[in-house]
Amino acid sequence: MRAPSLHAVATAVGLLALHAAATAQQAAASDDKQQLEAVVVTGIRASLEKSMTAKRNANTNVEVISAEDVGKMPDKNIADAISRVSGVNVQYGGANAMDEAERVAIRGTPPSLNLVTINGHAVSAGDWHVGDQSAGNAVSSRSVGFGLLPSELIGQTVVYKNQRADLTEGGLAGSVDVLLRKPLDMRAGFSGEAALGAVYADLPGKTDPQASVLLAWKSPDKRFGVIAQAFKEDRSLRRDGQETFSYTALTNAQALSLTGGDATAAAGLVGKRLPNQFNATMFEGARKRSGGFLSLQWRPTEQLDMTLSGFSSELKAVNYNSSGFLTLNNLMAGGWRLSNAVVDGDVITAGKLTRPAGSTTNALGLEYDHFLRDGARSTSKFYDLDLKYAVSPALTLTGRVGSTEGAGYTTRQPNIVLAVVNPNVAWQMNRTRPTDWSITDASGKAIDLSNIASYQLMNANLPAITSMDKENYVHADGEWKLGDGLFSSLKFGLRSATHKRNVDVITSRWTLQDAPGATAPFTTAITGGALINQAAYPMPVPNPATALPGDYASGLDGTFPRNLLRFDQGQLAAFADKYQYWDPVAGKQWNSGYGLKETSNALYAMGEFDADALSGNVGLRAVRTQVDTTSYTQLPSNICPALAACSVNGAIVGSRFGTFVPAYTSTRHTAWLPSLNLRWDIDRQLVARASLSRSLGRPNYNELAGALTINSNTLIASMGNPLLKPITANNGDLSLAWYFAPRASLSGSVFTQRLSNYVKPVTEVATLEDPSAPGTTRQYTLTKRIGLDARLTGAEVALEMPVGNGFGFSSNATYVSSRDADGQPMLGSSKWTYNVVGYYENDRFNARLAWNWRDDYAYTVIGDGSGTTKQDLKGNYLINGLHYFKGYGALALSLGYKFTDQVSVTFDANNLNNPVRHTYMLTENAPANWYESGRQYYVNLRMKF
């Protein structure tokens, strides 16, 4: 807490000192300089000037990102553009496909606790990746991914870092409002803009087309206008990686088993963490985004203004993941012996596992998953009517009514899962690069992972998921100008919204299981999994049409198998067509889905005051939230077996996974959210701001649902908590900004938050029924949610500086220190983040080079997240802490050349440094995941008229 205070003091003193020096110099200058003719600038400089003007005029602490031109934001990706300002970080979705940022986090709080709106109203955006769609995901069900929103639509984006009574609640640390253009704001009577281009992704080695067109018209009397925009953007992606899913802290019994009963050797292993898996993975896919925006604006009189807008976007995101992973945990459970062990701290970083001579145990040593999501897609749309009516010069009323819908679909997951049984394995972990590992047979010969004969077919059942999201909303606001006096105006209003979210999960089944006369056991159990009984149920595995590409993992400096076989997408689809199906009735896992209805009603009043140099606002927002959830509980099979009639009231029959009854929960919460924002114009150049407020965020929808999600492959389960309360925070903010020249500023701020009911996942070992084998129970790592206290303090400093002759630069740094009640950092919080952007621009050419860095940050919870290892009732160690991303930086370049005022070409490049991002669990001596996503290059020809 002292560190941000020291940074703040230093920043404030520096600002005042610089200001005093500048004032002294300016006092000697002639006042004639103020009479110089204004210079009109365009492009990058115009964008910066517009953003700085909006920031300077605000009475709260905001950041503004403005388009350089119609359809041209500073970055190709909106989230990347927002991340260039102080206090904002970007994060990625469940695929960890890091070629494109999808979500933003403000001042160290998770994306789900920041509100994203479009023109001030809610927006629902579906998720394309199965991990984000599922009920068990705790990352994104409340946050909005920018993958469905093309940057060409945007006129300006405002990041609010302070709360105001007239802002929609939901952003704990802040909110992002994306402002789309209005027809009557366009300059010309009839105008248009078209862009035709392509994007090249160097890791998949593919080039895809991209196009957009915008047409705008307004009547000669400027009373009526139309904007129509359409876009079609395709892109290929690939992510090469190595992953370690988890670790096991060894018990005395496990250590004795690994050492063959050597008590002395075992004593040195008890409590040490053994890596459970090492995964060689390649994820690839296509993103085909298309849609449009239409806006009609009518201003029949100077008093009345009406705007009707509609937006629709669809992202088709077929994706294919191959994961070949050693399962050290299964070999340990099968009695394999550990030799050549190396211990670094509490981690067994190197060793060899060998099957003992004479062993009859069969264990899964390598699992090779091939998962295709050939129907993956997401959608987002909204319809919105805005009204503004000036009742009198003193009273203006505004209203908004609309609806927004989003959906994510994974219609099926064709798959082939292969097993290598009874191998011997060896590994050597490294802190600064991926793990070296190898797999051999009993003779010590390397197993040929490119040969289909090395594998056996495993049993696997993967879900199809549908996630639906919809919100209907009504806003009614008013502003009454009070004239002279302390308060210049009174703002007041109400908002009512009903949000619904539903998740359905349907699990696959093998067609041969339902064949006439199918009585033989379908699978043969081995330690760690089950093999298909191919003798009784023949399902010939196709001969793989391909293999991992020759440049697979070329950027990952580790020695591990790269010659793995690979099926093509057509083979997986054909295999599924013949042997797998997803029955929407018999295959429905009711307890993995849920329904939720959230009704929120808010009233507010806010007074704005202006007493010469001091201005600001003070207000109160009252919010009532009601959450109604529906989850499903499975009845014991001895009471109501699956696929049989059941006399229990409300019982849902028809699923082979059991008989279920709905469970309903309803909660209500009322929050009072006061806010005070002050702005002090110390002089023409120096502006100080202060803010005190109480803000509200809400748990992820899936965190509120009582649904139980089970993954039979990873043995991970998750469930929500419908009794969670809204998260609230008491906030304080102080800032000082010096606008010492046109398009130049130096600013600093300090901020603090005290959170209540901060949602944190906690984990325990639980015995649950395996959905892939009804009637069979297994031990799972079960994650639940609780609410606890947390706190956060931080500081920001930013400099915007034109150098001259078209050159300029900007830089900023943010420091955040966060802790929850367990003493652990908050999820998504980096201690240090900084940006450096340099640019050059003349009448024809412009260039920008941007570097973004963020420090380590936690992104998931391990165990209960407390940082303390515990034991369960069976003596198993429970590892508790956080899973961190190691700090990383990314370099981006943007170039533009204007042939004429109407024709230009742009070039944008992301991830130019081709960063390898990696993670670690609890401590850096326990590395986890390493990812390479490659570079992306965009070229666009832009035409205006």
Side-chain angles (χ1 to χ4, degrees), residues 323-335:
S323 295
F325 52 95
L326 294 183
T327 58
L328 278 65
N329 55 329
N330 292 331
L331 300 182
M332 176 181 66

Side-chain angles (χ1 to χ4, degrees), residues 768-782:
L768 304 169
E769 184 173 35
D770 185 347
S772 66
T776 302
T777 60
R778 304 175 72 182
Q779 281 197 327
Y780 291 82
T781 301
L782 174 66

Side-chain angles (χ1 to χ4, degrees), residues 263-546:
T264 302
L269 299 178
V270 174
K272 301 299 187 290
R273 287 185 281 164
L274 177 76
N276 286 333
Q277 308 91 6
F278 296 119
N279 182 27
T281 176
M282 190 179 92
F283 178 94
E284 64 178 353
R287 295 182 182 179
K288 299 179 181 294
R289 178 170 60 191
S290 61
F293 171 70
L294 179 66
S295 181
L296 309 176
Q297 187 177 7
W298 183 34
R299 191 180 293 154
T301 68
E302 292 300 321
Q303 292 75 36
L304 181 62
D305 192 314
M306 295 179 286
T307 303
L308 178 64
S309 300
F311 167 79
S312 179
S313 178
E314 180 183 53
L315 179 67
K316 295 181 179 179
V318 173
N319 59 91
Y320 175 20
N321 191 40
S322 295
S323 295
F325 52 95
L326 294 183
T327 58
L328 278 65
N329 55 329
N330 292 331
L331 300 182
M332 176 181 66
W336 267 236
R337 299 289 188 261
L338 175 64
S339 60
N340 303 326
V342 176
V343 177
D344 177 7
D346 68 335
V347 178
I348 304 172
T349 58
K352 182 177 181 180
L353 287 173
T354 306
R355 191 184 193 210
S359 173
T360 58
T361 300
N362 294 312
L364 174 64
L366 183 140
E367 179 178 328
Y368 195 11
D369 297 341
H370 300 267
F371 297 161
L372 172 66
R373 294 104 185 193
D374 53 3
R377 65 186 180 96
S378 59
T379 63
S380 178
K381 65 175 99 172
F382 67 77
Y383 311 98
D384 185 74
L385 175 63
D386 284 328
L387 300 171
K388 182 178 180 180
Y389 179 57
V391 180
S392 68
L395 179 62
T396 300
L397 301 178
T398 59
R400 173 180 293 123
V401 60
S403 178
T404 178
E405 298 179 31
Y409 304 93
T410 297
T411 55
R412 66 175 194 165
Q413 291 193 70
N415 66 88
I416 296 176
V417 177
L418 304 175
V420 176
V421 181
N422 298 338
N424 298 326
V425 302
W427 75 97
Q428 171 65 62
M429 303 180 74
N430 307 278
R431 295 191 182 206
T432 59
R433 63 178 182 84
T435 296
D436 301 327
W437 61 266
S438 61
I439 179 169
T440 58
D441 61 20
S443 68
K445 180 182 177 181
I447 295 176
D448 183 3
L449 299 180
S450 66
N451 187 349
I452 190 65
S454 299
Y455 302 89
Q456 300 181 59
L457 183 63
M458 281 187 67
N459 183 37
N461 301 97
L462 301 184
I465 298 177
T466 301
S467 173
M468 306 294 294
D469 200 81
K470 181 176 181 179
E471 179 166 314
N472 297 323
Y473 53 85
V474 176
H475 299 229
D477 304 274
E479 181 178 11
W480 182 20
K481 296 181 180 179
L482 302 176
D484 296 333
L486 176 62
F487 285 94
S488 58
S489 68
L490 174 66
K491 291 185 175 182
F492 53 91
L494 59 86
R495 175 182 179 271
S496 180
T498 300
H499 194 108
K500 295 181 179 180
R501 188 173 182 89
N502 292 278
V503 174
D504 291 319
V505 178
I506 299 168
T507 296
S508 66
R509 184 170 173 85
W510 299 98
T511 56
L512 295 185
Q513 288 181 274
D514 302 317
T519 58
F522 188 72
T523 61
T524 300
I526 60 174
T527 301
L531 304 176
I532 299 294
N533 182 358
Q534 289 274 42
Y537 303 92
M539 289 182 281
V541 176
N543 190 40
T546 182

